[in-house]
Amino acid sequence: MQNDQSLQSASQQIARAQDDKGLRPSIAGFFDEATNTVSYVVHDPKTSEAAIIDSVLDFEAASGRTSNGSADRIVEYVTSNNLKVTWLIETHAHADHISAAPYLQTKLGGKLAIGREIIRVQEVFGKLFNAGTDFERDGSQFDKLFDDGETFKLGELEGIALHVPGHTPADMAFIIGDAAFVGDTIFMPDFGTARADFPGGDAHQLFRSIRRLLSLPDETRLFLCHDYKAPGRDEYAWETTVKQQREENVHVKDGVTEDDFVTMRTTRDKGLDMPKLIMPSVQVNIRGGRLPEPEDNGVSYIKIPVNAV
C-alpha cells in the first residue's frame, strides 16, 4: 500500500493527533443491546462541534412501531453538554438497525453524510424491493456523499474518509483525529470480522479493506459499530487498536492470507441467518433513514420480497 495516498494522508493525520492532544476528539459511545449497535457522539473539546455516527431508531418488528428512546439518549447528551451537531454520519446502509439520523437532524441539525457508493447499494436494493421510479438512486437523500480520501473538519479537528468495501460496496471508515470509526468491517479481536454475503458484498474486498485499515499507525484507536460478546467474555466492548487487531484478531491477524480468510469467511457466512431487521432496515436506510412514502391511506409500508433473497 505504498502508493495509497489516502491511507498515507490518514496516517499523517493520526500521527499529528497522537503528538498533540488538542487534535484528539472526545468520544461517547451509546450501546443499543437490542441490535448490538454502538452509536457515537464525537466532538471537538475546543469548539464543541460534534458528529453523531451510526444512530439507532428503535423498531418493534412484530408491531411495526418505531420509537426514539435510543436517539433521545443522544439528544440528552448533546444538549446537556452544549454541543453543536454539524455532522450525522452513516458508515454504511445498515442491515441490522434503522438509522435515527432524520429524527436527530430535526432535533439537533447537522449534515447527513455517507459514502458515495451508496448509489450502488440503492440500485441493487431498489430493484430488489421494486421501489419504482419515484425512488431516486443518486444519493440525493443525503446531504453529503464522501469519496475515498476526502477530508473534512469537525471544529478544529481533522477528519478523513476511507472507502472500505466488502461488507457492502458503500462502507466507509471515518477517521477523526486519532480515532477511526470503522463500521462493520471488523469487530473485537475475539469475535473477528463482518460478514460479506449481502448483495454487493465481497470477501476478497473485505480482506483488503481490513488490511488497509490495519496499515494505519499501531496506536490508532478503532471504534466498532457492533459487539456480540464472544464466548468467554462477559462485558460488551467496542474500542480496540490497530496493534491489538493485528496481533489478536481471530479472523484476520497478521499471518492470515487472503485465500485463507476468504475460505473461512465464505464458509462461515453460509451458516449465518439473515439479520432480523434486514428488510425494514435496508429499505429505510437507503432512503437516508426515512420511511417509504406513505400510501393513499397515510401509512408507510415495509415490503418483504418472497423467495427473492
Side-chain angles (χ1 to χ4, degrees):
M1 303 197 183
Q2 293 179 348
N3 297 320
D4 189 336
Q5 292 298 318
S6 297
L7 183 67
Q8 290 179 26
S9 295
S11 296
Q12 290 164 2
Q13 172 190 301
I14 291 164
R16 288 191 293 271
Q18 290 174 340
D19 289 339
D20 182 353
K21 291 183 179 180
L23 298 178
R24 302 177 196 174
S26 293
I27 301 166
F30 297 82
F31 186 70
D32 176 58
E33 191 165 357
T35 62
N36 294 91
T37 302
V38 193
S39 305
Y40 296 98
V41 178
V42 187
H43 80 269
D44 174 11
K46 293 181 181 178
T47 66
S48 295
E49 286 196 18
I52 299 171
I53 301 176
D54 291 336
S55 60
V56 174
L57 180 74
D58 301 319
F59 181 75
E60 211 288 309
S63 66
R65 299 197 68 86
T66 64
S67 58
N68 301 310
S70 295
D72 283 336
R73 291 169 58 205
I74 291 176
V75 173
E76 169 61 25
Y77 178 84
V78 167
T79 55
S80 64
N81 286 279
N82 298 311
L83 303 180
K84 178 185 177 182
V85 174
T86 54
W87 291 106
L88 298 156
I89 292 173
E90 302 292 335
T91 55
H92 62 295
H94 310 276
D96 42 29
H97 72 271
I98 296 174
S99 169
Y103 173 77
L104 291 169
Q105 195 170 39
T106 62
K107 293 286 187 179
L108 302 170
K111 291 183 178 180
L112 176 56
I114 200 167
R116 184 170 300 280
E117 292 301 307
I118 186 62
I119 295 168
R120 287 182 57 196
V121 178
Q122 289 176 328
E123 185 64 33
V124 169
F125 284 101
K127 291 178 180 177
L128 176 64
F129 292 113
N130 197 29
T133 56
D134 289 341
F135 172 56
E136 299 290 343
R137 296 159 169 83
D138 59 1
S140 58
Q141 300 85 352
F142 300 85
D143 301 312
K144 172 65 178 175
L145 302 181
F146 275 101
D147 293 305
D148 182 62
E150 189 169 355
T151 59
F152 61 99
K153 298 290 283 188
L154 183 64
E156 296 181 10
L157 302 181
E158 297 177 292
I160 188 168
L162 294 181
H163 186 212
V164 286
H167 175 61
T168 79
D171 280 64
M172 300 290 286
F174 290 89
I175 303 170
I176 301 172
D178 67 329
F181 300 87
V182 299
D184 285 15
T185 53
I186 199 166
F187 301 134
M188 289 300 290
D190 57 359
F191 200 85
T193 59
R195 63 195 298 167
D197 61 330
F198 295 148
D202 185 285
H204 287 281
Q205 279 192 331
L206 181 60
F207 178 85
R208 295 166 194 166
S209 293
I210 291 172
R211 296 310 306 182
R212 189 185 194 204
L213 288 172
L214 298 187
S215 298
L216 293 169
D218 278 354
E219 299 311 313
T220 304
R221 295 184 289 163
L222 304 181
F223 290 87
L224 318 179
C225 189
H226 296 286
D227 187 52
Y228 302 95
K229 284 198 300 190
R233 175 156 54 85
D234 296 327
E235 302 293 331
Y236 290 111
W238 47 81
E239 180 181 352
T240 178
T241 65
V242 165
K243 185 175 188 293
Q244 185 181 17
Q245 293 282 9
R246 293 185 65 152
E247 292 178 350
E248 301 177 17
N249 189 284
V250 294
H251 292 169
V252 74
K253 63 186 176 184
D254 288 354
V256 175
T257 68
E258 181 172 337
D259 286 344
D260 288 342
F261 175 81
V262 169
T263 298
M264 177 282 300
R265 189 69 266 170
T266 303
T267 302
R268 185 178 176 89
D269 288 351
K270 288 178 180 178
L272 295 177
D273 294 330
M274 282 290 181
K276 294 179 181 179
L277 297 182
I278 187 170
M279 295 302 173
S281 295
V282 171
Q283 286 176 78
V284 175
N285 292 336
I286 60 175
R287 292 176 165 86
R290 299 171 186 87
L291 295 173
E293 285 296 315
E295 298 191 8
D296 55 11
N297 62 354
V299 177
S300 293
Y301 289 87
I302 299 294
K303 293 181 179 179
I304 299 179
V306 178
N307 298 327
V309 177

